[in-house]
Amino acid sequence: MAASGATERLMCLLMLLALFHGTSSFYVPGVAPINFHQKDPVEIKAVKLTSSRTQLPYEYYSLPFCQPNKITYKAENLGEVLRGDRIVNTPFQVFMNIEKKCEVLCNFPNKPVTLTVEQSKLIAERIREDYYIHLIADNLPVATRLEFYSNREEEEKKKEKDVQFEHGYRLGFMDSNKFYLHNHLSFILYYHREEVEENQEPTYRVVRFEVIPQSIKLEDLKADEKGTCMLPEAAGSAPQEIDPTKKNQLLFTYSVHWEESDIKWASRWDTYLTMSDVQIHWFSIINSVVVVFFLSGILSMIIIRTLRKDIANYNKEDDIEDTMEESGWKLVHGDVFRPPQYPMILSSLLGSGIQLFCMILIVIFVAMLGMLSPSSRGALMTTACFLFMFMGVFGGFSAGRLYRTLKGHRWKKGAFCTATLYPGVVFGICFILNCFIWGKHSSGAVPFPTMVALLCMWFGISLPLVYLGYYFGFRKQPYDNPVRTNQIPRQIPEQRWYMNRFVGILMAGILPFGAMFIELFFIFSAIWENQFYYLFGFLFLVFIILVVSCSQISIVMVYFQLCAEDYRWWWRTFLVSGGSAFYVLIYAIFYFVNKLDIVEFIPSLLYFGYTALMVLSFWLLTGTIGFYAAYMFVRKIYAAVKID
């Protein structure tokens, strides 16, 4: 997907979006099916060219394909633009339930297309980079059927083949360092016949769109002046070679075959959404649930039992001295709510974390109801962008109230910091990456008008809402701390090695990462290898597990820290709770080395640039969850003991 997959990837990763594959689908309310009559035109449109090796999408007509008399681009929504989609019409003439054996695509049936040396080099380069072409018919993406045996044992070979579908079709292939172009497309469209009354004309709906790409040499395609052609038998045909050192002549041809299907229109996306091993997916979900809740239960039991004993001992007046020797968390009661360094930056980061949390929660919930199906191209991205802007009021409110609690006074500066710190980093990195994408003339580059529109949304919607929320949050009564803070800070004893901040990050990151590490493979496959994910019910479940595990581990870590008489927990809890982001970074590096075939500088830069944004966003999200869980825990335990 690509580059400006920029924001797409960012948002997907923000939400750990695309976590899951599934076996059934929902549809966006209000998206009505299109009914076709016999011989009605079915428009074939091109979306883009993509490659998992370069991560740079290109427009369909960036290559010298046959063009219609008038090129018309579809008006894309914000999500489609950020994805790098440039949907355009094509010269394919397809009519409902009308077969075509073989037809020449370009305007001069008896005159082959001549590719210049530059065009030949470009096509050869795109074939080498393993590019796929993506077409749509009635909003259904084209897919290539892949058949294979799941079990290769002799007695199993008689079984039916397993069928999977690959998104799009390959531009061409290489053999013995020679380049061959797929210049003939055999379209197979499946239709579902709708029930109508006897005297009405039958209506049809498109329910699947497949293609079989072929490479056929010019001499083997016998075309007449009417534009029809004869396909050679498979055994006797030679592929169409593209020699990048000279001009090449070829014909672009296509055929159309229609088949009736029992698949109903509402289920037509199932084919595209079941492209991975569902069993593995289910096992990974169950494994995450069992492991996380089992470990969380153990941690909860240990800490609750220990705390009950501590509080009971502290509240016995005759045992105060013995208690102080046993443990140290009560000893720091006069310093535990002492404001940390840089309270404005801390509250700003936590405000952005709340903004992310609200946006993710709403998007997942809405998607879980079926209103952000993949059939609504770009809807997920558009919704996520706008929601992040509008959630600024909640982020500003929480940041303003916390900033006042931490004895802050410059609320206007704090509001500006909250509105610009995290979004500014994101925009800066995306802009730098976008400059490299512009240099490659990729459709993934965010157009300048879109960039201006995003800036207007940021400063026209998000920033005023953050200021509004910050104003009311700062005016509201600060959080009520149960104990007073001493004027003179208590000396912190020397800490053991395992209380080191980096060790804490490593320890705290294991549990939340364990909830999702298997799913990271699915996430990265969706983002970097152009797959669909849509089972947001599962995503919601994993998100809840993530919240529970981050909260649990954060409470445990802050308890150990206070027992070691270290009261500087504000920043530490925020940093340590986001420790799973470190493991996400390690996994991203592992995935890059072992799963992707990226060798060039710019694709590598794009990968690690977007990975940095993902890690930053994930750290903000999990750090915020852990911080507020720890804050509530600290207030609770100090409110439960008698303080002399």
Side-chain angles (χ1 to χ4, degrees):
M1 273 189 178
S4 218
T7 317
E8 177 184 23
R9 289 169 186 146
L10 171 60
M11 291 300 181
C12 283
L13 289 164
L14 288 184
M15 299 189 295
L16 292 178
L17 235 117
L19 264 153
F20 311 94
H21 289 251
T23 55
S24 63
S25 63
F26 288 102
Y27 257 79
V28 184
V31 175
I34 298 177
N35 292 322
F36 295 92
H37 297 292
Q38 183 83 6
K39 297 184 181 180
D40 279 358
V42 179
E43 193 172 8
I44 307 292
K45 295 183 179 180
V47 181
K48 57 184 174 181
L49 284 68
T50 64
S51 168
S52 59
R53 296 185 63 182
T54 68
Q55 300 300 325
L56 293 167
Y58 288 96
E59 292 187 34
Y60 181 70
Y61 291 121
S62 64
L63 293 181
F65 294 125
C66 295
Q67 299 183 1
N69 294 329
K70 182 182 179 182
I71 296 178
T72 306
Y73 284 90
K74 172 184 171 289
E76 286 110 358
N77 58 38
L78 178 62
E80 289 175 315
V81 173
L82 296 177
R83 284 165 46 95
D85 294 353
R86 300 294 183 267
I87 301 175
V88 65
N89 61 327
T90 62
F92 296 106
Q93 300 290 319
V94 177
F95 300 94
M96 173 55 70
N97 215 8
I98 300 297
E99 302 269 329
K100 286 191 177 183
K101 291 289 179 64
C102 180
E103 190 163 309
V104 178
L105 189 58
C106 290
N107 294 334
F108 303 97
N110 56 353
K111 183 180 178 183
V113 176
T114 302
L115 301 179
T116 64
V117 177
E118 290 75 16
Q119 290 173 334
S120 301
K121 282 183 181 178
L122 183 60
I123 288 180
E125 183 65 22
R126 296 288 181 263
I127 293 173
R128 180 189 288 112
E129 292 169 342
D130 200 22
Y131 266 85
Y132 282 73
I133 298 173
H134 299 274
L135 306 175
I136 54 173
D138 189 27
N139 202 37
L140 270 183
V142 73
T144 306
R145 179 188 291 258
L146 302 175
E147 295 182 344
F148 58 92
Y149 291 103
S150 58
N151 194 323
R152 287 294 183 179
E153 294 181 10
E154 290 297 323
E155 62 271 17
E156 299 288 338
K157 282 192 176 179
K158 294 181 181 178
K159 283 189 173 184
E160 291 185 8
K161 295 179 181 179
D162 282 346
V163 177
Q164 286 192 2
F165 291 90
E166 195 172 49
H167 300 303
Y169 66 92
R170 291 177 183 269
L171 173 63
F173 61 94
M174 289 181 64
D175 187 18
S176 303
N177 289 324
K178 292 184 178 180
F179 303 94
Y180 300 96
L181 175 69
H182 286 140
N183 59 322
H184 178 81
L185 302 178
S186 297
F187 293 127
I188 305 172
L189 291 102
Y190 294 77
Y191 64 88
H192 181 77
R193 190 191 299 267
E194 296 300 305
E195 294 182 5
V196 294
E197 296 179 7
E198 291 184 9
N199 57 346
Q200 289 185 334
E201 187 181 353
T203 60
Y204 309 93
R205 293 176 181 175
V206 178
V207 294
R208 188 186 295 176
F209 182 27
E210 294 180 21
V211 66
I212 301 175
Q214 294 173 269
S215 182
I216 304 175
K217 198 174 181 180
L218 173 63
E219 289 76 10
D220 293 338
L221 283 168
K222 298 167 183 174
D224 59 26
E225 295 195 4
K226 294 180 180 179
T228 57
C229 51
M230 292 287 293
L231 288 175
E233 294 186 8
S237 64
Q240 175 63 55
E241 183 183 352
I242 300 295
D243 188 342
T245 62
K246 64 180 185 182
K247 293 182 179 181
N248 292 273
Q249 289 193 327
L250 71 156
L251 283 175
F252 288 103
T253 58
Y254 69 103
S255 59
V256 181
H257 175 62
W258 289 91
E259 287 190 21
E260 188 167 1
S261 172
D262 294 331
I263 299 172
K264 292 188 177 180
W265 186 87
S267 303
R268 65 179 190 161
W269 273 82
D270 293 0
T271 301
Y272 302 89
L273 299 173
T274 56
M275 297 190 185
S276 68
D277 196 326
V278 176
Q279 193 174 23
I280 291 176
H281 189 74
W282 273 101
F283 281 145
S284 70
I285 295 294
I286 295 170
N287 175 67
S288 298
V289 172
V290 172
V291 169
V292 169
F293 278 108
F294 178 71
L295 293 178
S296 298
I298 292 176
L299 291 172
S300 302
M301 187 172 63
I302 291 172
I303 201 163
I304 289 171
R305 290 189 63 183
T306 306
L307 267 176
R308 279 181 178 171
K309 183 179 177 183
D310 284 350
I311 292 171
N313 287 338
Y314 283 137
N315 288 338
K316 291 179 184 176
E317 293 182 357
D318 54 336
D319 272 350
I320 288 180
E321 292 183 5
D322 296 337
T323 303
M324 286 186 176
E325 292 176 3
E326 288 177 12
S327 179
W329 67 266
K330 188 188 175 189
L331 300 180
V332 296
H333 68 82
D335 298 276
V336 72
F337 293 108
R338 186 178 302 281
Q341 288 184 309
Y342 314 114
M344 184 184 294
I345 296 177
L346 177 63
S347 60
S348 297
L349 292 174
L350 289 167
S352 295
I354 292 291
Q355 202 171 344
L356 277 174
F357 179 83
C358 294
M359 179 268 289
I360 292 168
L361 191 64
I362 295 173
V363 166
I364 295 176
F365 183 75
V366 171
M368 188 172 64
L369 299 178
M371 290 185 277
L372 294 177
S373 162
S375 61
S376 248
R377 199 177 303 276
L380 181 66
M381 282 297 304
T382 306
T383 305
C385 287
F386 277 97
L387 267 177
F388 183 78
M389 302 292 175
F390 286 108
M391 291 302 106
V393 67
F394 297 105
F397 181 86
S398 59
R401 192 174 184 193
L402 182 64
Y403 183 55
R404 185 175 181 187
T405 303
L406 298 179
K407 311 293 191 233
H409 302 290
R410 296 175 294 177
W411 76 269
K412 292 180 182 177
K413 187 176 180 182
F416 183 77
C417 187
T418 304
T420 57
L421 185 58
Y422 168 69
V425 171
V426 172
F427 184 83
I429 293 176
C430 289
F431 180 77
I432 292 170
L433 295 177
N434 208 50
C435 291
F436 286 97
I437 304 165
W438 268 331
K440 285 286 189 177
H441 305 290
S442 166
S443 66
V446 179
F448 185 74
T450 305
M451 194 167 289
V452 172
L454 287 171
L455 281 173
C456 290
M457 287 171 58
W458 178 11
F459 289 105
I461 300 175
S462 182
L463 190 139
L465 287 176
V466 169
Y467 263 88
L468 182 67
Y470 209 98
Y471 173 74
F472 285 105
F474 191 78
R475 287 189 61 188
K476 193 171 176 62
Q477 190 71 19
Y479 294 112
D480 183 28
N481 295 328
V483 291
R484 292 191 303 271
T485 302
N486 296 334
Q487 290 186 351
I488 301 174
R490 178 186 178 86
Q491 187 175 359
I492 298 171
E494 187 177 348
Q495 301 294 302
R496 295 185 178 272
W497 65 270
Y498 52 79
M499 294 304 295
N500 179 275
R501 186 173 297 172
F502 185 70
V503 175
I505 288 174
L506 293 179
M507 292 170 59
I510 291 174
L511 187 59
F513 183 76
M516 45 166 280
F517 82 98
I518 296 177
E519 297 307 321
L520 278 183
F521 174 77
F522 295 103
I523 298 169
F524 278 68
S525 297
I527 294 166
W528 302 107
E529 297 183 32
N530 201 40
Q531 301 293 323
F532 286 118
Y533 285 111
Y534 84 113
L535 267 189
F536 295 100
F538 281 124
L539 180 58
F540 187 76
L541 176 62
V542 170
F543 185 70
I544 296 300
I545 293 172
L546 186 68
V547 171
V548 170
S549 57
C550 283
S551 303
Q552 292 277 354
I553 204 69
S554 175
I555 290 171
V556 171
M557 297 301 290
V558 78
Y559 176 70
F560 288 154
Q561 183 181 350
L562 294 177
C563 285
E565 299 179 29
D566 184 356
Y567 54 81
R568 300 169 301 182
W569 63 273
W570 300 89
W571 271 106
R572 182 186 172 96
T573 300
F574 180 59
L575 295 170
V576 167
S577 300
S580 51
F582 173 76
Y583 290 97
V584 172
L585 175 62
I586 298 300
Y587 183 83
I589 296 171
F590 167 81
Y591 189 88
F592 179 83
V593 172
N594 289 276
K595 300 294 183 181
L596 294 179
D597 190 21
I598 295 177
V599 291
E600 295 182 14
F601 170 72
I602 290 182
S604 302
L605 181 69
L606 295 177
Y607 180 87
F608 286 106
Y610 298 137
T611 297
L613 291 177
M614 176 195 77
V615 171
L616 171 65
S617 304
F618 191 69
W619 169 64
L620 270 183
L621 176 68
T622 52
T624 301
I625 293 168
F627 174 86
Y628 277 101
Y631 190 27
M632 288 188 287
F633 169 77
V634 170
R635 291 175 61 199
K636 189 79 173 174
I637 64 172
Y638 282 99
V641 297
K642 298 177 193 173
I643 303 297
D644 296 332

